[in-house]
Amino acid sequence: MFRKVHLRLALLCAGITIFILFVMSCGYLIVSEQGLKNSGFLSFQSDMNTLIRTLDEQTIITHEWLARTEANGRYLINVVDNGVPFLYNERYSSEQKELFASAWDYYNHTFAAEPAVSASDTFHTEFAFSSAGRGADDYYACVVTSQRHSGTFQIMILCSMEPLLVQIRTQRFLFLLMDLAAFGVLALFSWYFTKRILQPLEENQRRQNQFIASASHELRTPLAVILSCASASGKASEAERQSFLDSIQSEGLRMSRLIEDMLMLTRADRYRWTIQKEPTELDTLLLDTFEAFEPVAKENGIRFLITLPEDAVPSVLCDPERIRQVLAILLHNAFSYTKKGGFVRLLLTHDGKSAKLAVSDTGIGIPDEEKKKIFERFYRADEARSEKGHFGLGLCIAAEIVNAHHGRILVEDTPGGGSTFTVVL
Ligand code: ADP
């Protein structure tokens, strides 16, 4: 499922960014090409102004002057004197003559009907036109009309826009290359970016699936006992029935404890835990817990000790009930994993900035490679060693409570053997 979502998200992300980039590139190209065309036309106009000034100074238009004005083939010049084409026009090829014919056509259609803009004897019109008669303009043209004593004298000067069009085409090609490279980078980036975004979700999903699988597994055992006891109790004697009922009750309690633990973790996942912090005297809290667990220690034949600081312990802002719960989990484990004759110690220290609550035992200990894993849900270091009522959720709940207090929970080896769990608040 995640592969599909990843692919779709990557496509969406890449699609949107590529579309935005494409639109921006097109926008930039349109503006830039327009700017190039405008500046090309302005430069043509300024060239024409200079040319007209020199034309005004000529009394006779000579072939030499026209040839010089052509500027090595940059311009094509067509002269008409009183409606009669100049002999000079004959030097052009037939295609060039056709070009002039269409330029004159365009001029006569578009501008000639208009009254002269200039009141002086000479006026001129610059324009861009398409030699094919349609499509993009590819020539700049200037028509100079001069009223002389001999009559009306007209010169048309054409300048190919080819160099400008080459520049525009090169720019388009470069943009296309850059865009293609950017599309590739964006597609790769989207792929990895969306993968990174989905990773925590995928991990969460994996953990949830694992949680459900483990929870179902843990619930199946007591449920199987309850069902078999219930079916067997029908034909059983009075004494046997009582024993079956006891089993049903104890397995029911086991299930209810497990369900309570699971609900607690689910609430922690949804950030719905209510931590009611209040100034708490940790030494009193530890003493209360110590007293509550003394009978358990006696029952298990384990020596139970408490060590409190000699000076007064400043009160700490925490939820006393939740911290009591953490201590209960740690002590419950310590008594479960420590053999008869061992020690369990409850310890409180503080350094003015933080307080440390430690539960230390001389039990079976935890191998280094297991130390991180024991805080995972349903993790039991050794399934074979686990007793009834140990679902592998206790340390996970303890860690969630400590996290909700922005504290830390650590596990180390007790010198001489066993484990020491420390909660830093
Ligand atoms: P459980 O309910 O199984 O004890 P926990 O989450 O409390 O679950 O502990 C996870 C595992 O960590 C236990 O199954 C056990 O293997 C190991 N463990 C926890 N506390 C101790 C301890 N004091 N000594 C040795 N092993 C421990």
Side-chain angles (χ1 to χ4, degrees), residues 286 290 294 297 302-308 331 335 342-347 358-360:
L286 246 73
F290 178 75
E294 263 191 319
I302 292 168
R303 285 188 62 192
F304 190 26
L305 310 166
I306 182 166
T307 310
L308 297 174
L331 283 171
F335 287 119
F343 284 86
V344 171
R345 185 191 295 273
L346 203 48
L347 184 80
V359 174
S360 149

Side-chain angles (χ1 to χ4, degrees), residues 8-18 186 189-191 193-194:
R8 279 191 195 161
L9 216 61
L11 281 177
L12 185 76
C13 189
I16 290 174
T17 43
I18 286 171
L186 278 173
F189 173 76
S190 304
W191 180 260
F193 179 68
T194 46

Side-chain angles (χ1 to χ4, degrees), residues 62-69 88:
T62 61
H63 281 211
E64 287 74 37
W65 182 84
L66 288 170
R68 236 182 304 123
T69 308
Y88 186 80

Side-chain angles (χ1 to χ4, degrees), residues 333-334 337 361 364-366 374 379-382 390-396 419 421:
N333 279 346
Y337 300 110
D361 63 52
I364 57 174
I366 303 165
I374 55 171
Y379 187 83
R380 287 185 295 224
D382 184 352
H390 283 270
F391 304 111
L393 290 179
L395 286 179
C396 180
S419 319
F421 285 86

